[in-house]
Amino acid sequence: MAKTNFSMEEAFLELEGIIKSLEDPDVKLADSMSLYKKGVKLLEKCHSTLDKTEKEIIILQEGYNGNILKETD
């Protein structure tokens, strides 16, 4: 299976669609559960991506503050 790039922006748009669908009073219970599970998985992926990005920023900032990163001429 090919690995695809995850897009937070696309995930947010998809989550908005899921929320709108869940707010529909005519949606069936089984469909609601399926949508809810999909939304939870998307949120978990978003949290994971944000955590990874935060760690990368911390590492870069520590390197900058510790003068590990040097400008190249």
Side-chain angles (χ1 to χ4, degrees), residues 12-25:
F12 287 152
L13 289 173
E14 193 167 352
L15 284 166
E16 286 179 13
I18 289 171
I19 290 168
K20 286 181 183 179
S21 295
L22 288 171
E23 290 174 341
D24 182 352

Side-chain angles (χ1 to χ4, degrees), residues 3 6-8 10 15 17 19 21 28 39 43-44 46 50:
K3 186 176 181 179
F6 178 76
S7 167
M8 293 284 286
E10 289 177 15
L15 284 166
I19 290 168
S21 295
K28 296 182 182 186
L43 283 174
E44 287 174 352
C46 289
L50 287 172

Side-chain angles (χ1 to χ4, degrees), residues 33-55:
M33 284 304 297
S34 178
L35 288 166
Y36 181 79
K37 288 177 185 178
K38 187 175 183 178
V40 168
K41 287 180 182 180
L42 277 171
L43 283 174
E44 287 174 352
K45 183 66 176 168
C46 289
H47 284 291
S48 174
T49 301
L50 287 172
D51 286 343
K52 181 181 175 188
T53 302
E54 181 180 20
K55 288 175 185 175

